[in-house]
């Protein structure tokens, strides 16, 4: 029986795009979370010039990953590492 999970996150955003735009896009991406990998957002999501990439590893028992957001640049404007897992 699933009782919950805990997630730890650490990330940053660059100043080229305003935080309202970046975090608004991030909220859209996180609403697209796939049921079989519910670790943050989907592996890839694109909208309005932004691109979200997620590289998850593991299972609900123990998982980690890195998510990045790109906007017209070859380097990410946002990067976040996360880790978590099931709590009994």
């Amino acid at each position: 029986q699933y009782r919950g999970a805990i997630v730890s996150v650490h990330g940053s955003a660059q100043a080229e795009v305003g935080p309202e735009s970046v975090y608004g896009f991030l909220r859209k991406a996180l609403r697209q979370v796939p049921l079989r990998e519910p670790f943050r957002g989907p592996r890839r999501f694109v909208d309005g010039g932004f691109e979200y990439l997620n590289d998850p590893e593991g299972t609900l028992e123990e998982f980690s990953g890195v998510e990045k957001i790109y906007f017209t640049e070859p380097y990410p404007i946002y990067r976040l590492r996360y880790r978590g897992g099931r709590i009994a």
Side-chain angles (χ1 to χ4, degrees):
Q1 180 181 11
Y2 177 73
R3 295 179 189 248
I6 188 164
V7 177
S8 170
V9 298
H10 178 268
S12 63
Q14 303 299 317
E16 290 88 0
V17 179
E20 299 85 15
S21 297
V22 173
Y23 291 109
F25 171 74
L26 178 60
R27 283 190 294 274
K28 285 183 185 179
L30 295 178
R31 284 193 290 262
Q32 307 300 316
V33 63
L35 292 177
R36 60 176 197 183
E37 289 181 324
F39 310 130
R40 287 284 289 172
R43 287 188 178 260
R44 184 171 187 260
F45 177 72
V46 178
D47 184 55
F50 289 96
E51 180 180 22
Y52 170 91
L53 297 176
N54 182 20
D55 186 20
E57 295 181 357
T59 66
L60 278 178
E61 297 299 321
E62 185 175 353
F63 60 86
S64 63
V66 176
E67 66 183 12
K68 298 176 186 175
I69 295 176
Y70 294 83
F71 184 76
T72 68
E73 299 292 332
Y75 53 88
I77 60 169
Y78 169 92
R79 184 172 189 267
L80 178 122
R81 291 179 188 220
Y82 61 90
R83 138 177 262 99
R86 185 184 306 256
I87 52 176

